[in-house]
Amino acid sequence: RSKRRGRGQITVYSHEIAQEMKRATQLEQALRNAIIADEIDVHFQPIVKLRNDDVVGFEALARWCDANLGYVSPAIFVPLAEERGFIDALAEMLLRKAAQAALSWPKELFLSFNLSSAQLTDMSTSSRLLTIVNQVGLDPRRLELEITETAVMADADVAQKIVAEFRSAGVRVSLDDFGTGQSSLGRLRDFTFDKVKIDRAFVSGISADRASEHIVKAIVSMCEGLELEVVAEGIEHPSEALKLKSLGCGMGQGFFYGKPADAVATMRYLADRYSDVSELR
Ligand code: C2E
Ligand code: MG
Ligand code: MG
Ligand code: MG
């Protein structure tokens, strides 16, 4: 009897694995097609100066809605693209679209673009992405690249060289999701960054959580000493914004200031704030 049950379990198990593999293959195929068909879109989320709510730039975030699969999170399809070897095609398409959109924004606003770990192990990344920026005609000094500690860890020497190439072209580099990876502090000592983005984990609920408050306070003070700019991610409530401001955090980003929106909605958002920006540009 137990043998039969055991066999049954194995059957169910392998059925689940088969389903899972089928879905993974479907997803991969759909992603491949979407990249070829240029169907992955990029949205933009404002980053503001906390002192006066002025917009200083936008983070580009990849968006994909497949006809059959529905909305697929970039947290799913970006790693899949890396795994299957088409991250370069994806990233180049996204950067081209994002840089193109940024051309219509006021010149003082930066574009922040996420780099994935696979891109930081490939020495050709900097020249390929800088070529796109030049082709589109975006001033590289308006570009920022967000990288995570996990990405840097894969091959620190190569990552360091890639980052140095970008920085010598005028591109700024920020450390994303700060506080959630490993050896954060060593990373800040050995690597040259321009900015640190404090992970949402320390921001949500900061107005009520003393521990988060102390941690953010320490990060802000450390960044002051290291002459790094600081952005708090994931601000959803005015009380969080207020607390972060009182702790001396310079910049913020989150649903409270604006959700990621497509290029057209982003122009509308800017037109509301800048008298010289027209939505029709
Ligand atoms: P990330 O770079 O840390 O991006 C911030 C994420 O937080 C985004 O999720 C954004 O929509 C979300 N977010 C912003 N404000 C709030 C808030 O107030 N509350 C909450 N709950 N969430 C907020 P999203 O767009 O789903 O992206 C997830 C991750 O996928 C990104 O994390 C980034 O690591 C990756 N990703 C997205 N687009 C790209 C891309 O173009 N290239 C690469 N390599 N990775 C990307
Ligand atoms: Mg990011
Ligand atoms: Mg982040
Ligand atoms: Mg994050």
Side-chain angles (χ1 to χ4, degrees):
R1 195 186 153 82
S2 72
K3 218 175 179 178
R4 266 174 58 194
R5 193 194 292 150
R7 232 183 3 239
Q9 278 173 353
I10 287 169
T11 309
V12 169
Y13 186 53
S14 63
H15 179 68
E16 277 172 5
I17 290 179
Q19 287 291 99
E20 193 48 53
M21 282 172 64
K22 195 173 157 206
R23 179 166 159 86
T25 312
Q26 270 177 350
L27 199 64
E28 181 188 346
Q29 200 50 55
L31 180 59
R32 197 185 288 275
N33 292 340
I35 293 172
I36 293 167
D38 202 31
E39 278 169 3
I40 303 196
D41 200 12
V42 52
H43 283 203
F44 303 94
Q45 185 179 33
I47 299 171
V48 306
K49 214 177 266 172
L50 288 174
R51 183 163 44 84
N52 54 10
D53 291 4
D54 271 359
V55 185
V56 287
F58 289 90
E59 177 175 4
L61 294 159
R63 290 292 178 264
W64 177 33
C65 194
D66 177 76
N68 301 309
L69 300 163
Y71 175 78
V72 185
S73 164
I76 301 283
F77 71 79
V78 169
L80 183 67
E82 289 189 273
E83 229 173 78
R84 302 305 158 101
F86 35 90
I87 188 66
D88 290 334
L90 175 64
E92 287 174 19
M93 172 175 103
L94 291 169
L95 181 59
R96 187 166 280 117
K97 287 183 183 186
Q100 193 70 51
L103 287 183
S104 303
W105 307 341
K107 300 271 173 291
E108 65 269 28
L109 300 188
F110 63 80
L111 167 70
S112 204
F113 187 80
N114 291 284
L115 275 195
S116 58
S117 26
Q119 294 180 283
L120 281 169
T121 60
D122 176 357
M123 278 305 290
S124 72
T125 294
S126 33
S127 61
R128 273 186 296 99
L129 296 190
L130 287 169
T131 300
I132 289 171
V133 171
N134 286 326
Q135 281 171 350
V136 171
L138 183 77
D139 184 343
R141 287 169 302 182
R142 293 182 59 195
L143 180 66
E144 281 189 17
L145 295 172
E146 301 192 4
I147 67 184
T148 63
E149 292 164 47
T150 333
V152 172
M153 270 177 333
D155 189 338
D157 288 344
V158 170
Q160 178 81 272
K161 286 199 186 98
I162 295 170
V163 163
E165 282 184 14
F166 277 121
R167 290 187 85 251
S168 64
V171 176
R172 277 163 303 175
V173 178
S174 55
L175 186 53
D176 201 0
D177 302 343
F178 185 73
T180 57
Q182 281 161 35
S183 66
S184 317
L185 303 181
R187 214 52 75 188
L188 284 178
R189 189 193 53 202
D190 303 333
F191 241 80
T192 324
F193 293 103
D194 301 280
K195 191 181 272 186
V196 161
K197 297 188 79 174
I198 304 176
D199 195 79
R200 177 157 57 92
F202 303 107
V203 171
S204 35
I206 191 175
S207 39
D209 177 16
R210 299 282 291 164
S212 293
E213 181 180 334
H214 284 298
I215 290 167
V216 169
K217 203 181 190 172
I219 297 175
V220 168
S221 134
M222 177 186 71
C223 287
E224 253 166 39
L226 294 170
E227 295 180 323
L228 296 168
E229 296 190 291
V230 193
V231 183
E233 293 190 286
I235 302 175
E236 294 184 352
H237 300 288
S239 60
E240 291 163 359
L242 216 60
K243 175 62 76 181
L244 288 159
K245 228 185 298 187
S246 79
L247 295 175
C249 181
M251 284 173 260
Q253 177 181 2
F255 296 166
F256 174 61
Y257 292 104
K259 290 194 168 170
D262 67 22
V264 172
T266 297
M267 284 310 289
R268 216 178 297 133
Y269 177 93
L270 287 171
D272 284 347
R273 282 164 185 76
Y274 291 79
S275 53
D276 57 335
V277 172
S278 133
E279 301 172 36
L280 300 173
R281 253 206 258 186

Short mmCIF file of all heavy atoms in Angstrom, two decimals, residues 137-167:
data_model
loop_
_atom_site.label_atom_id
_atom_site.label_comp_id
_atom_site.label_asym_id
_atom_site.label_seq_id
_atom_site.Cartn_x
_atom_site.Cartn_y
_atom_site.Cartn_z
N GLY A 137 21.87 59.94 -29.07
CA GLY A 137 22.19 61.35 -28.89
C GLY A 137 21.95 61.86 -27.49
O GLY A 137 21.82 63.06 -27.26
N LEU A 138 21.90 60.94 -26.53
CA LEU A 138 21.75 61.36 -25.13
C LEU A 138 23.13 61.64 -24.55
O LEU A 138 24.06 60.85 -24.73
CB LEU A 138 21.05 60.25 -24.31
CG LEU A 138 20.77 60.61 -22.85
CD1 LEU A 138 19.55 61.53 -22.74
CD2 LEU A 138 20.54 59.35 -22.00
N ASP A 139 23.25 62.76 -23.88
CA ASP A 139 24.51 63.11 -23.20
C ASP A 139 24.78 62.03 -22.13
O ASP A 139 23.95 61.85 -21.23
CB ASP A 139 24.34 64.49 -22.56
CG ASP A 139 25.63 64.98 -21.90
OD1 ASP A 139 26.54 64.16 -21.66
OD2 ASP A 139 25.70 66.19 -21.63
N PRO A 140 25.91 61.32 -22.22
CA PRO A 140 26.18 60.26 -21.23
C PRO A 140 26.20 60.78 -19.80
O PRO A 140 26.00 60.01 -18.86
CB PRO A 140 27.55 59.71 -21.65
CG PRO A 140 28.09 60.62 -22.67
CD PRO A 140 26.95 61.40 -23.24
N ARG A 141 26.41 62.10 -19.63
CA ARG A 141 26.40 62.66 -18.29
C ARG A 141 25.00 62.70 -17.69
O ARG A 141 24.82 62.97 -16.51
CB ARG A 141 27.01 64.06 -18.29
CG ARG A 141 28.54 64.01 -18.47
CD ARG A 141 29.11 65.37 -18.73
NE ARG A 141 28.50 65.96 -19.93
CZ ARG A 141 28.82 67.14 -20.43
NH1 ARG A 141 29.73 67.88 -19.85
NH2 ARG A 141 28.21 67.59 -21.52
N ARG A 142 23.99 62.44 -18.54
CA ARG A 142 22.62 62.35 -18.02
C ARG A 142 22.24 60.91 -17.67
O ARG A 142 21.13 60.66 -17.23
CB ARG A 142 21.62 62.90 -19.05
CG ARG A 142 21.76 64.39 -19.27
CD ARG A 142 20.71 64.88 -20.26
NE ARG A 142 19.35 64.59 -19.81
CZ ARG A 142 18.28 64.65 -20.60
NH1 ARG A 142 18.42 64.96 -21.88
NH2 ARG A 142 17.08 64.39 -20.13
N LEU A 143 23.16 59.99 -17.91
CA LEU A 143 22.86 58.58 -17.65
C LEU A 143 23.44 58.12 -16.32
O LEU A 143 24.57 58.46 -15.96
CB LEU A 143 23.43 57.71 -18.78
CG LEU A 143 23.19 56.20 -18.67
CD1 LEU A 143 21.70 55.85 -18.80
CD2 LEU A 143 23.98 55.44 -19.74
N GLU A 144 22.64 57.35 -15.60
CA GLU A 144 23.12 56.69 -14.39
C GLU A 144 22.85 55.21 -14.54
O GLU A 144 21.86 54.82 -15.13
CB GLU A 144 22.33 57.18 -13.16
CG GLU A 144 22.81 58.52 -12.67
CD GLU A 144 22.19 58.91 -11.34
OE1 GLU A 144 21.65 58.03 -10.64
OE2 GLU A 144 22.24 60.09 -11.03
N LEU A 145 23.74 54.40 -13.99
CA LEU A 145 23.52 52.95 -14.04
C LEU A 145 23.36 52.45 -12.62
O LEU A 145 24.13 52.80 -11.73
CB LEU A 145 24.70 52.27 -14.73
CG LEU A 145 24.86 52.64 -16.20
CD1 LEU A 145 26.15 52.08 -16.76
CD2 LEU A 145 23.67 52.16 -17.03
N GLU A 146 22.33 51.63 -12.41
CA GLU A 146 22.09 51.05 -11.10
C GLU A 146 22.63 49.62 -11.10
O GLU A 146 22.26 48.82 -11.94
CB GLU A 146 20.59 51.04 -10.79
CG GLU A 146 19.99 52.43 -10.81
CD GLU A 146 18.59 52.50 -10.23
OE1 GLU A 146 18.08 51.48 -9.72
OE2 GLU A 146 18.01 53.59 -10.28
N ILE A 147 23.50 49.35 -10.16
CA ILE A 147 24.00 47.99 -10.05
C ILE A 147 23.82 47.50 -8.61
O ILE A 147 23.80 48.30 -7.67
CB ILE A 147 25.47 47.87 -10.51
CG1 ILE A 147 26.42 48.60 -9.58
CG2 ILE A 147 25.64 48.44 -11.92
CD1 ILE A 147 27.86 48.57 -10.09
N THR A 148 23.69 46.20 -8.46
CA THR A 148 23.50 45.66 -7.11
C THR A 148 24.79 44.99 -6.63
O THR A 148 25.66 44.65 -7.44
CB THR A 148 22.37 44.60 -7.08
OG1 THR A 148 22.76 43.51 -7.90
CG2 THR A 148 21.06 45.18 -7.56
N GLU A 149 24.85 44.81 -5.33
CA GLU A 149 26.04 44.17 -4.76
C GLU A 149 26.21 42.76 -5.26
O GLU A 149 27.32 42.30 -5.52
CB GLU A 149 25.92 44.14 -3.24
CG GLU A 149 25.98 45.51 -2.63
CD GLU A 149 25.48 45.47 -1.21
OE1 GLU A 149 25.91 44.57 -0.47
OE2 GLU A 149 24.66 46.32 -0.86
N THR A 150 25.09 42.07 -5.40
CA THR A 150 25.14 40.69 -5.90
C THR A 150 25.78 40.66 -7.28
O THR A 150 26.57 39.77 -7.59
CB THR A 150 23.71 40.12 -5.99
OG1 THR A 150 22.90 40.79 -5.04
CG2 THR A 150 23.71 38.64 -5.75
N ALA A 151 25.44 41.65 -8.09
CA ALA A 151 25.99 41.71 -9.44
C ALA A 151 27.49 41.95 -9.40
O ALA A 151 28.26 41.33 -10.14
CB ALA A 151 25.30 42.82 -10.23
N VAL A 152 27.91 42.83 -8.50
CA VAL A 152 29.33 43.15 -8.39
C VAL A 152 30.13 41.94 -7.90
O VAL A 152 31.25 41.70 -8.32
CB VAL A 152 29.53 44.34 -7.42
CG1 VAL A 152 30.99 44.57 -7.15
CG2 VAL A 152 28.87 45.59 -7.98
N MET A 153 29.48 41.15 -7.05
CA MET A 153 30.19 40.03 -6.43
C MET A 153 30.61 38.93 -7.40
O MET A 153 31.58 38.23 -7.15
CB MET A 153 29.33 39.41 -5.32
CG MET A 153 29.58 40.07 -3.99
SD MET A 153 28.56 39.46 -2.66
CE MET A 153 27.11 38.88 -3.42
N ALA A 154 29.86 38.78 -8.49
CA ALA A 154 30.14 37.69 -9.42
C ALA A 154 31.61 37.71 -9.87
O ALA A 154 32.29 36.70 -9.85
CB ALA A 154 29.21 37.77 -10.62
N ASP A 155 32.08 38.87 -10.30
CA ASP A 155 33.49 39.00 -10.68
C ASP A 155 33.87 40.46 -10.45
O ASP A 155 33.74 41.30 -11.32
CB ASP A 155 33.68 38.61 -12.15
CG ASP A 155 35.16 38.54 -12.52
OD1 ASP A 155 35.98 39.16 -11.81
OD2 ASP A 155 35.48 37.86 -13.51
N ALA A 156 34.32 40.74 -9.22
CA ALA A 156 34.53 42.12 -8.80
C ALA A 156 35.53 42.87 -9.68
O ALA A 156 35.35 44.04 -9.95
CB ALA A 156 34.96 42.16 -7.34
N ASP A 157 36.58 42.19 -10.13
CA ASP A 157 37.59 42.87 -10.94
C ASP A 157 37.03 43.34 -12.27
O ASP A 157 37.24 44.49 -12.68
CB ASP A 157 38.80 41.94 -11.20
CG ASP A 157 39.62 41.74 -9.94
OD1 ASP A 157 39.43 42.53 -8.99
OD2 ASP A 157 40.43 40.79 -9.90
N VAL A 158 36.31 42.45 -12.94
CA VAL A 158 35.71 42.80 -14.22
C VAL A 158 34.66 43.89 -14.03
O VAL A 158 34.62 44.88 -14.75
CB VAL A 158 35.10 41.55 -14.91
CG1 VAL A 158 34.26 41.94 -16.11
CG2 VAL A 158 36.21 40.60 -15.33
N ALA A 159 33.81 43.71 -13.01
CA ALA A 159 32.77 44.70 -12.73
C ALA A 159 33.39 46.08 -12.49
O ALA A 159 32.91 47.09 -13.03
CB ALA A 159 31.95 44.26 -11.52
N GLN A 160 34.47 46.09 -11.73
CA GLN A 160 35.17 47.34 -11.43
C GLN A 160 35.66 48.02 -12.71
O GLN A 160 35.53 49.23 -12.89
CB GLN A 160 36.36 47.02 -10.50
CG GLN A 160 37.23 48.18 -10.12
CD GLN A 160 36.62 48.98 -8.98
OE1 GLN A 160 35.84 49.89 -9.23
NE2 GLN A 160 36.98 48.65 -7.76
N LYS A 161 36.20 47.23 -13.64
CA LYS A 161 36.70 47.78 -14.90
C LYS A 161 35.56 48.35 -15.75
O LYS A 161 35.69 49.42 -16.34
CB LYS A 161 37.43 46.69 -15.71
CG LYS A 161 38.80 46.33 -15.17
CD LYS A 161 39.64 45.63 -16.24
CE LYS A 161 40.97 45.13 -15.66
NZ LYS A 161 40.90 43.68 -15.29
N ILE A 162 34.45 47.61 -15.79
CA ILE A 162 33.29 48.07 -16.58
C ILE A 162 32.77 49.39 -16.01
O ILE A 162 32.54 50.35 -16.73
CB ILE A 162 32.19 46.99 -16.59
CG1 ILE A 162 32.70 45.74 -17.32
CG2 ILE A 162 30.92 47.51 -17.25
CD1 ILE A 162 31.79 44.53 -17.19
N VAL A 163 32.64 49.42 -14.69
CA VAL A 163 32.17 50.63 -14.02
C VAL A 163 33.11 51.80 -14.31
O VAL A 163 32.68 52.92 -14.59
CB VAL A 163 32.02 50.38 -12.50
CG1 VAL A 163 31.93 51.69 -11.73
CG2 VAL A 163 30.78 49.52 -12.23
N ALA A 164 34.42 51.54 -14.26
CA ALA A 164 35.40 52.61 -14.51
C ALA A 164 35.26 53.14 -15.93
O ALA A 164 35.37 54.36 -16.15
CB ALA A 164 36.81 52.08 -14.26
N GLU A 165 35.01 52.28 -16.89
CA GLU A 165 34.84 52.72 -18.27
C GLU A 165 33.62 53.63 -18.41
O GLU A 165 33.67 54.65 -19.08
CB GLU A 165 34.72 51.53 -19.22
CG GLU A 165 36.07 50.90 -19.50
CD GLU A 165 36.00 49.77 -20.52
OE1 GLU A 165 34.95 49.63 -21.20
OE2 GLU A 165 36.99 49.02 -20.61
N PHE A 166 32.54 53.22 -17.78
CA PHE A 166 31.34 54.06 -17.82
C PHE A 166 31.61 55.41 -17.18
O PHE A 166 31.26 56.45 -17.72
CB PHE A 166 30.18 53.37 -17.10
CG PHE A 166 29.43 52.37 -17.94
CD1 PHE A 166 29.35 51.04 -17.57
CD2 PHE A 166 28.79 52.78 -19.11
CE1 PHE A 166 28.64 50.13 -18.35
CE2 PHE A 166 28.07 51.87 -19.90
CZ PHE A 166 28.01 50.54 -19.51
N ARG A 167 32.25 55.38 -16.02
CA ARG A 167 32.47 56.64 -15.30
C ARG A 167 33.38 57.58 -16.05
O ARG A 167 33.22 58.80 -16.02
CB ARG A 167 32.98 56.37 -13.87
CG ARG A 167 31.89 55.74 -13.00
CD ARG A 167 32.28 55.60 -11.55
NE ARG A 167 32.03 56.81 -10.78
CZ ARG A 167 32.97 57.60 -10.32
NH1 ARG A 167 34.24 57.30 -10.52
NH2 ARG A 167 32.66 58.66 -9.63
#
